[in-house]
Amino acid sequence: MGINNIIKAIRSKKSKRFLISTHRNMEGDAIGSMLAMAELLKRAGKKVILFPPEDMPDTYKFLPGAAKVKLMSNIKDIDYDVACLLDCTDIERIGSVKVGICLTRPILNIDHHISNTYFGSINWVEPNMSSSGEQIYHLFRKMSIPINKRVALYIYIAMLTDTGSFRYSNTTADTHRIIAELMQYGIDAVDIYRKVYEGVPRSSLTLLASALSTLDTAKNGEIAWVHVSKAMLSSHKAGIEETQDFVNFPRSIKGVKIALAFREARKGLVKVSLRSNEGVDVNRLAKQFNGGGHSSASGCVLKGTISGAEKIVVTSAKKLLRNST
Ligand SMILES: [Mn+2]
């Protein structure tokens, strides 16, 4: 089992210094898992080097220990024994900090994406778990390291955000059991919800209004999508990170099986978010375009224009629905 091999690697006397990293565009799971893993390793008597692919996003700066999540200035020549990569489908997802990872040293790959490429020297992949944070919870329990309020908060944030506040299909009975347990450490769910999801800039809402006006559908309303162009971003003075959840709006329409959001990251590069209802496997769709993720939530990147990307992905989405009914 993956978890046992991970524990063995952590306990090994030869492994003293651990480097921890995660994917770019860090969200709640990436950040929560990284901080929780750092606590676990420290309490197991290890030295920890936090090695994030970017600076801490503003939303999560309220977390204790947030100040330590900073992109290092010299990402090369980092001295460590074992690298621990969290919530990453493949090693490319850590972005430019990859140059700091020495491929001859062990890599622990802890992830919950079905599309994981098993890039590590030790791989622990749990597609049935809600989040990498949930995996770290099991590490604490299995290693008999007590959880405290701070760790409970990190894991709570990871599970809250990756399940879309316990709405997505990765929300299981185990998810709720673990959350109930974490709340006993004094988690203030109302306060966290407000900090993570609200307090959005005005620009996010005006941009959303404009994105919603691009709503289009196909196949009798079973496929629905919106887009955000570079021009829309600049006219609302908004950043692309403010559009991460936009795909949930077409997804919420009655009868929609596949929802898409096309976001122009820069000229000639379109990020596509794919979501599904009723068990449709959009990971298969994302894979056709060298992307991946989970069966009900995936992503891919296409070169070209937004309208070009819409045409080709919607055509494939229609085919997927035709073949799955
Ligand atoms: Mn995750």
Side-chain angles (χ1 to χ4, degrees):
M1 256 292 273
I3 186 169
N4 293 328
N5 294 335
I6 297 279
I7 292 173
K8 223 182 270 170
I10 292 173
R11 287 189 174 144
S12 158
K13 291 222 165 63
K14 279 185 285 177
S15 321
K16 292 191 180 80
R17 294 164 64 90
F18 283 72
L19 178 148
I20 305 176
S21 194
T22 186
H23 59 80
R24 272 169 305 169
N25 303 318
M26 298 190 294
E27 20 65 321
D29 190 22
I31 293 159
S33 304
M34 210 164 49
L35 289 170
M37 189 67 183
E39 287 284 327
L40 178 128
L41 289 168
K42 273 186 229 157
R43 288 209 253 139
K46 308 295 175 173
K47 285 246 156 56
V48 174
I49 304 154
L50 279 176
F51 197 61
E54 62 215 7
D55 286 331
M56 188 70 143
D58 287 344
T59 307
Y60 294 101
K61 283 189 177 153
F62 73 92
L63 286 171
K68 287 179 209 135
V69 181
K70 261 205 300 221
L71 182 63
M72 279 189 181
S73 46
N74 62 322
I75 48 177
K76 280 186 184 171
D77 314 316
I78 307 282
D79 191 23
Y80 71 92
D81 304 313
V82 179
C84 180
L85 303 190
L86 304 165
D87 203 33
C88 290
T89 47
D90 63 73
I91 196 163
E92 300 307 324
R93 291 217 61 204
I94 65 175
S96 62
V97 293
K98 194 186 149 195
V99 298
I101 306 279
C102 174
L103 295 175
T104 56
R105 288 175 211 163
I107 296 176
L108 311 185
N109 165 17
I110 301 179
D111 183 35
H112 69 120
H113 294 89
I114 196 161
S115 56
N116 190 284
T117 56
Y118 288 76
F119 59 84
S121 10
I122 299 173
N123 301 286
W124 176 32
V125 180
E126 295 279 5
N128 292 323
M129 286 191 192
S130 68
S131 52
S132 297
E134 189 172 332
Q135 292 180 277
I136 310 296
Y137 165 86
H138 288 290
L139 268 183
F140 269 91
R141 284 288 174 250
K142 218 161 179 186
M143 293 179 72
S144 301
I145 299 176
I147 287 175
N148 58 22
K149 184 172 180 181
R150 167 189 283 240
V151 169
L153 175 63
Y154 297 150
I155 297 173
Y156 182 90
I157 295 272
M159 295 177 72
L160 171 78
T161 54
D162 255 27
T163 58
S165 308
F166 316 111
R167 286 177 299 152
Y168 302 155
S169 58
N170 59 350
T171 308
T172 63
D174 279 337
T175 312
H176 285 297
R177 268 182 221 114
I178 295 167
I179 288 292
E181 199 187 311
L182 297 176
M183 286 191 73
Q184 291 172 353
Y185 292 93
I187 300 285
D188 183 343
V190 175
D191 178 56
I192 292 171
Y193 189 89
R194 176 85 184 141
K195 283 180 171 135
V196 172
Y197 293 110
E198 296 175 350
V200 296
R202 185 194 150 103
S203 60
S204 294
L205 281 194
T206 56
L207 178 65
L208 172 63
S210 133
L212 289 178
S213 71
T214 71
L215 178 70
D216 204 349
T217 61
K219 216 171 180 293
N220 293 322
E222 290 183 358
I223 305 168
W225 66 95
V226 294
H227 75 245
V228 179
S229 65
K230 199 81 197 131
M232 285 159 73
L233 288 175
S234 45
S235 86
H236 292 274
K237 297 188 176 63
I240 193 154
E241 68 287 344
E242 292 171 52
T243 62
Q244 261 168 21
D245 294 330
F246 283 13
V247 68
N248 289 322
F249 291 90
R251 182 195 205 166
S252 68
I253 301 169
K254 189 173 185 180
V256 165
K257 291 185 178 168
I258 296 179
L260 307 161
F262 298 85
R263 304 176 295 143
E264 200 173 26
R266 52 171 200 266
K267 212 171 163 24
L269 201 79
V270 181
K271 285 184 167 188
V272 189
S273 312
L274 307 93
R275 300 290 183 273
S276 70
N277 293 316
E278 300 176 36
V280 174
D281 184 1
V282 283
N283 182 43
R284 268 174 58 195
L285 194 56
K287 269 189 171 162
Q288 292 174 29
F289 306 104
N290 298 316
H294 307 282
S295 67
S296 58
S298 276
C300 58
V301 178
L302 271 79
K303 285 193 178 127
T305 61
I306 288 193
S307 60
E310 282 179 351
K311 222 173 177 175
I312 161 169
V313 179
V314 170
T315 302
S316 296
K318 284 182 190 165
K319 266 190 210 144
L320 180 74
L321 286 181
R322 218 177 295 136
N323 297 336
S324 61
T325 44

